[in-house]
Each structure stands twice: as C-alpha cells, then as structure tokens.
Amino acid sequence: MPSYKAPVDDTLFLLKDVFDFDRYGNLPRFAEAPIDVVEAVLSEAGKFAEKVLQPLNRSGDEEGCTRDSSGNVATPEGFKEAYKAYVEGGWVGLAGDPAYGGQGLPHFLAVALSEYVIAANLSFAMYPGLTNGAAAALWVHGDDALKRTYLPKMTTGEWTGTMNLTEPHCGTDLGLIKTKAVRQGDGSFAITGQKIFISAGEHDMAENIIHLVIARIEGAPAGTKGISLFLAPKFLVNADGSLGARNAVVCGSIEHKMGIHGNSTAVLNYDGAKAWLIGEENRGLNAMFVMMNAARLGVAVQGLGLSEVAYQNAAAYAKDRLQGRSLTGAKEPGKPADPIIVHPDVRRMLLEIRAFNEAARALMVWVALSADEALESPDPAAKRAADDRIGLLTPIIKGVFTDVGFANAVKAQQVLGGHGYIAQSGMEQFVRDARITMIYEGANGVQALDLVGRKLPKDGGRAVTAFFGEVSAFLAENKGDAALAPYLAPVKAALGKLQQATMWLMQNGMRNPDNAGAASHDYMHLFGLTALAFMWARIAKAVLARQAKGKSNEALDSKLALAKFFNARMLPEASAHLARLSSGAETLMALPAAAF
Ligand SMILES: Cc1cc2nc3c(=O)[nH]c(=O)nc-3n(C[C@H](O)[C@H](O)[C@H](O)COP(=O)(O)OP(=O)(O)OC[C@H]3O[C@@H](n4cnc5c(N)ncnc54)[C@H](O)[C@@H]3O)c2cc1C
C-alpha cells in the first residue's frame, strides 16, 4: 500500500529562504498570514492530506463513481464524509474573499495546500479545485446579484462548481460549439445542448452544483467571437437562498476511463436549462479564461503532486528491496543481497524524479506568490510584472509539469520492477491518474502553441524579455560568489540556448507559421528546463547561505547534490531541444496526409 508525507518543510524552506517571504509583507492578505500562521496552516493541511485523503485514494480508484438510472452519481465510499470535513475545516475557502465567507488568506497558501491534497488523492482534489476555479470566474465577471446568490456557498465549498466547455465534436477548437442559449423575457437564458467529459459534473458530495457553461446566444457570430458564459445551477435557488426546483440539466452517463476513477466525468444534457449570463455577451471565453488559467496552474500542480507521491514510494521501496550486489562490492554483506538503491541506474531514476520535484515546487511557489502580487501589489510596476510572469509561465508549467509528472510516475513504477505493475503497489494508479493531466485543461500540444503563438509576442515580447532580465540580473548580482559559481554557469548556458531559440522563432515563425508549430513542444520544454535550472541556482544560494550561518541540515545539504545532478544529467537535454526546434518544420510536413 502506498503512503504519503506532505513536504511541508520543503515548502517552508522555499518561502522563507528562497523567496524571502518577508518581501511580500506589503500585500494586504499577508497581514493575516505571518510565517508562523503559514506554518500552522500548511502542517494541518499536510496532516489532513496524509490521514484523511490518502487512505481513500486506492479504495476510491477501485470503487469508482456509479450512476443510477435517474442520473444520480454516487462517489466512492468515504468521499462524502471527507469532503464534509474538508469544507468544515475551511480548506475550500482558504483564499476566498471574506466578503463571501472566505478566509482571505494569500493565494499561495491555497496552491501549496493543493499540492498535498492532489498527491494524497487527485480524484478528490478535483472537486474543490474546480469549485475554486468556478468561484474565481464568477467573482471577477459576475454581476452583484449572481455573486450574492452563489458565491457564499461556492466559496465555502458547500456547493461545488464545474467548467462546461467540451462538446462531442470539439474540445480544443471551442469556436465550433453548438450549445445554444435562448433569451427569456426575465433576464435569464434557456440552455440546450450536450457537454461531455465534465469533471465533477454530477455527484453526491454537495447539495447543489453550479455549472459554468459556454454557449452561443441565438444570432451570435460564428466562431469564438460568438461564445458567452453562463451559470446554470443543478437546483434553482429561491429568493431566500433555499433550494428550489431541479434545473433541466441531467447527467446522461459517466465515463469509464483510464484513471481518476473517484472523480465523476459526466455527460451533461441541457434541455432548456435556466441560466444567467456571466460577464458580457459574446465575451464568454474571456470570462472563462479566469477559470482556465486558475485551472491550468491547478493541473500543473497535479503533475508535481503525483510525481512527488510516486517518488516517495519508489524511494522507500528502493531502500528495502534486496536484489543483486553493488558493482563496487557488497554494501550489506550480512544480507542475501544489497538493496537496489546501490545500483546507479536505480539512483538515476530516483534522482531524475526528485531533482525535478524540488525545483518544480520552487517554480510553483514563485508563480503562486506572483499571483498574490498580481492581485494586490500597491506598486503598479510590480503588479504588472507579476501578471506578465504568470501569463508567460502558465502554459509552460502546465505542459512541462504534466509531461514530466507522467514520465516520472512511469519511472517510479519502473523502480518497483514487476511489483510496480501490480495494482496492490499503487504505482500503476499514479501512472493512470497522471496521464489525464497532459490532456485536459488544453492538451499539452496546445499549451506549447499558446506559448509560442500568444504569450511570446504579447505586448511586444514584454513578459519574455522581463523573464530573461530577471535571470540575467540574478546571474549578474551573484557573479562574484565563488561557492555559487558552479550553479550559475549552467543557468547562463541554458539561458543562452533559450534566447537563441527565441530569436530563431522570431525569424522563422513569422515567415512560416508551421515553423512555430513544429518548434513549440521543444521550445516549451527548453523554457521549462531553463526555469528549473534557475530555480536550482536560487535554491543553492539559499542553502549556501544557511550553511554559512551553520543553520543547514542534511535535507537541505542534499539539495546541492541534487542541483549538481540536475545540471550534469538533465539540463543537457536543452541542447537537444534547441537542435530539434531549429531544424524547422520541413521534416514534419514532408509526408502528405495520405501517406500516414
Ligand atoms: C477525464 C477528463 C476530464 C475532463 N474534464 C473536463 C471538464 O471538466 N470540462 C471540460 O469542458 N472539458 C473537460 N475535459 C475535456 C478536455 O479538456 C479535452 O478532452 C481536451 O481539451 C482536448 O480536447 P479533445 O478531447 O476534443 O481533443 P482534440 O481537440 O480533438 O485534440 C486532439 C489532439 O489534437 C491536438 N490538437 C488539436 N488542435 C490542435 C491545434 N490547433 N494545434 C496543434 N494540435 C492540436 C491536441 O493537442 C490533441 O493532442 C475532460 C476530459 C477528460 C478525458
């Protein structure tokens, strides 16, 4: 049976030592969250994930969700009670607006918490995750009446939320949606159409489900310019806030799928369901982007969370499993064989996972702190810079964390040999659960396109220029630090390659758009590797500073070894990415479609 220990100490080290937590003291929400409060919240969150959610992960996978003939969906045993405890603990509303019953704590705390919840039980984590995203879209774009009616219970998690974009014939290309919205005389709309693959679309964990649905108002232009966003509750809400009649939206079926069995993936049939417009007519994708961006960061964290829990279980196994002898002579001569952790190839797999996890966690914390800055900084320049950073890094971390997260789950499974393939070990569940993260919230190929097609050229390249500037400034500031020098040189080299790749895209992507599409996957991964190397340099600086004060410990000291491993054995992939992407589109486009 797998186990999980939330990496609370690592999150705290990143906040305090790497990102200088006090620096954020000027943000109003941080007044409520001094570091001792942060520590207490994270350690309680860790315990909840370990003790309540993780024990339901395997059973939830085995039992899955079930739908009855009336369209009601039951979640696996224990999910309902765990969700009730999660809501009562205030975890859903941790960073919610206090005006609607939230706790008003900084957003980074909710992100850090989500890593633990995801690692413990991804299927469970998706219910509150989608609720937070739906509440955020309503908070930003909803009118006062809608907010008053729905936000309080969504903020606390008493009602859950969903995101309804996908239809049978379109997932990526939402301009093709057919779901219709017909204006009613009373300011509401009637929604008709079918949405598929709706996560948490129907379940028994909350008394109401608030669907955020995109649809086309009669007479609206074709394509993405004619899409509007609506709110359609499962149960209509009376003026006094009590629940009224059942709305005309039913769960037609739930999917039988590869993983995340504890999360219901519903087909929702809308048959004139009563709904209200969120934001402006025909600007629905704009409003939905609030939710999609939050959800993309959430899915990035899913990649990291699964990679972490898979690592922990593989490392424990490698220290225990006796097989063969060390190439340099027996390490445990008193035993029939050495533990497999002595074998360089087993170490390679474990270190590749861990060297990703710890730098990825740093990148996640940095982006999460940026979200707070973007929302609240009193300094307009800092606010804009933080917003630019999030916009640029969102597709990168969604694509890279989930591609690597899945690959890491497979590597961790490999460490267990045949036992990793057997259900009881739990490793094959991590692999199955991790697979979807590369697909939903925009398949990773589409994240890469978003990066090269939209995020790079946006505002004349302001965000990417600022990122290069931040990395270069760090290198320049620390130039004279001899102890840090070995960690800086690889960052400088990777940054050079990334700049070269960016220049190549500018010169060749405009000339032939297929060049941009052909380069996008490698460019996204080159960017990700460079950002992770930058994180390792920042982590190394913090560890060296702790060592200089005599305040380090074994766990922190080991980070220097991990940074060296990353630079020696993982970062060289940057050269391959650069070579591949700058070979252009020719070899990809050479064959006619009929030849495939
Ligand atoms: C378990 C599960 C849960 C989900 N949850 C939700 C949910 O809660 N709400 C919701 O609305 N949807 C949800 N989805 C849908 C999911 O977001 C879509 O499946 C995903 O966006 C891809 O769309 P698609 O399946 O139609 O694939 P397609 O759009 O048909 O794409 C197929 C392939 O083509 C590639 N591709 C498509 N267009 C381009 C392009 N222009 N350039 C390059 N490559 C391209 C894609 O990257 C992909 O690899 C869920 C799906 C699953 C399986």
Side-chain angles (χ1 to χ4, degrees):
M1 270 303 199
S3 62
Y4 174 63
K5 173 101 186 66
V8 176
D9 288 348
D10 199 34
T11 313
L12 288 170
F13 161 74
L14 292 167
L15 286 169
K16 290 194 267 196
D17 292 77
V18 178
F19 295 110
D20 188 11
F21 186 72
D22 294 341
R23 197 183 143 253
Y24 296 87
N26 64 334
L27 307 183
R29 280 175 179 242
F30 283 63
E32 302 299 320
I35 196 70
D36 53 330
V37 170
V38 169
E39 205 163 330
V41 170
L42 289 180
S43 97
E44 280 309 306
K47 279 188 213 148
F48 193 93
E50 292 161 10
K51 299 203 164 97
V52 181
L53 302 179
Q54 200 275 336
L56 296 173
N57 194 41
R58 181 100 206 102
S59 56
D61 179 63
E62 280 166 355
E63 185 185 339
C65 296
T66 44
R67 175 185 168 277
D68 69 17
S69 54
S70 317
N72 301 311
V73 173
T75 50
E77 195 179 339
F79 269 47
K80 223 163 126 174
E81 294 73 18
Y83 187 70
K84 189 165 180 279
Y86 194 74
V87 170
E88 285 171 2
W91 297 112
V92 183
L94 199 68
D97 184 346
Y100 297 104
Q103 298 196 46
L105 289 169
H107 288 88
F108 83 83
L109 259 182
V111 175
L113 152 80
S114 74
E115 186 203 329
Y116 310 158
V117 176
I118 286 162
N121 193 329
L122 173 57
S123 291
F124 177 94
M126 290 172 70
Y127 295 97
L130 282 152
T131 305
N132 286 152
L138 184 57
W139 188 75
V140 175
H141 292 286
D143 64 29
D144 284 345
L146 276 185
K147 285 190 194 176
R148 262 198 318 275
T149 308
Y150 295 96
L151 262 186
K153 292 205 164 172
M154 290 176 78
T155 302
T156 56
E158 286 162 272
W159 295 349
T160 62
T162 69
M163 178 164 98
N164 289 230
L165 281 69
T166 308
E167 298 184 7
H169 60 286
C170 68
T172 301
D173 192 354
L174 294 172
L176 301 175
I177 63 159
K178 291 179 183 161
T179 299
K180 276 202 189 80
V182 178
R183 228 178 278 277
Q184 307 295 289
D186 59 357
S188 72
F189 289 78
I191 304 270
T192 300
Q194 188 179 61
K195 295 288 176 181
I196 64 163
F197 298 161
I198 305 308
S199 296
E202 178 58 38
H203 60 81
D204 57 359
M205 294 183 3
E207 59 180 9
N208 205 0
I209 303 176
I210 312 306
H211 303 296
L212 264 55
V213 195
I214 56 167
R216 203 179 294 286
I217 298 174
E218 275 185 316
T224 52
K225 291 198 164 65
I227 294 177
S228 302
L229 178 63
F230 298 89
L231 180 153
K234 172 177 166 182
F235 286 101
L236 299 172
V237 179
N238 297 322
D240 64 359
S242 61
L243 293 187
R246 180 76 204 249
N247 204 356
V249 46
V250 291
C251 169
S253 62
I254 54 172
E255 305 294 349
H256 297 278
K257 55 195 193 285
M258 178 176 175
I260 52 165
H261 292 158
N263 195 271
S264 78
T265 307
V267 170
L268 292 182
N269 295 323
Y270 289 82
D271 187 9
K274 209 169 177 61
W276 289 267
L277 185 70
I278 297 181
E280 291 173 46
E281 282 184 23
N282 300 332
R283 301 267 300 150
L285 277 191
N286 185 44
M288 197 53 136
F289 264 121
V290 174
M291 180 158 185
M292 280 156 76
N293 278 333
R296 280 177 185 173
L297 288 177
V299 176
V301 180
Q302 294 178 4
L304 167 62
L306 289 171
S307 182
E308 173 66 34
V309 69
Y311 169 79
Q312 289 186 14
N313 287 282
Y317 187 86
K319 286 189 271 188
D320 195 47
R321 174 74 170 170
L322 304 180
Q323 221 51 202
R325 285 293 180 197
S326 158
L327 296 170
T328 52
K331 295 293 177 290
E332 303 224 14
K335 292 187 175 166
D338 283 334
I340 59 172
I341 190 85
V342 303
H343 304 309
D345 192 56
V346 171
R347 288 172 161 251
R348 171 189 64 78
M349 294 187 274
L350 291 172
L351 285 167
E352 281 176 1
I353 308 174
R354 182 152 159 205
F356 166 79
N357 289 354
E358 295 189 15
R361 183 169 299 114
L363 199 50
M364 172 196 82
V365 168
W366 190 35
V367 171
L369 287 167
S370 302
D372 281 306
E373 242 181 332
L375 204 72
E376 289 207 300
S377 178
D379 171 2
K383 200 176 166 88
R384 194 179 79 171
D387 201 44
D388 283 353
R389 188 182 305 125
I390 299 168
L392 177 72
L393 293 179
T394 295
I396 297 167
I397 66 172
K398 195 288 179 177
V400 173
F401 283 21
T402 60
D403 275 358
V404 179
F406 173 71
N408 285 352
V410 173
K411 266 179 213 161
Q413 183 188 33
Q414 186 75 8
V415 170
L416 273 75
H419 297 275
Y421 198 71
I422 303 303
Q424 199 187 0
S425 74
M427 301 306 279
E428 54 85 47
Q429 185 190 347
F430 300 142
V431 172
R432 286 187 287 104
D433 284 358
R435 186 63 184 87
I436 186 58
T437 64
M438 300 160 71
I439 298 170
Y440 58 21
E441 272 330 314
N444 284 357
V446 176
Q447 302 297 328
L449 268 191
D450 177 46
L451 173 65
V452 301
R454 292 184 44 221
K455 299 298 167 59
L456 281 189
K458 191 164 179 259
D459 304 312
R462 192 174 74 203
V464 70
T465 308
F467 180 84
F468 293 163
E470 265 179 289
V471 180
S472 302
F474 179 84
L475 295 173
E477 274 161 31
N478 295 287
K479 207 173 165 193
D481 186 337
L484 194 59
Y487 307 94
L488 298 181
V491 181
K492 191 171 176 198
L495 180 66
K497 292 187 183 89
L498 181 61
Q499 286 171 321
Q500 209 181 318
T502 310
M503 188 63 78
W504 187 92
L505 271 174
M506 280 163 59
Q507 286 165 350
N508 298 281
M510 297 279 266
R511 188 171 56 77
N512 173 7
D514 272 344
N515 277 332
S520 59
H521 172 84
D522 283 292
Y523 183 80
M524 178 176 80
H525 279 276
L526 172 55
F527 212 126
L529 276 172
T530 308
L532 293 173
F534 179 39
M535 291 301 108
W536 271 124
R538 293 183 69 163
I539 293 168
K541 182 179 157 101
V543 174
L544 290 167
R546 284 275 282 254
Q547 285 180 341
K549 289 188 208 145
K551 284 185 169 171
S552 195
N553 57 39
E554 205 183 315
L556 291 185
D557 291 348
S558 68
K559 285 182 181 287
L560 297 182
L562 283 166
K564 285 181 188 152
F565 175 87
F566 179 87
N567 290 331
R569 299 192 66 109
M570 294 168 76
L571 196 52
E573 195 62 29
S575 300
H577 287 305
L578 177 61
R580 275 199 292 268
L581 75 87
S582 44
S583 74
E586 203 183 321
T587 55
L588 283 176
M589 306 312 281
L591 292 183
F596 282 82

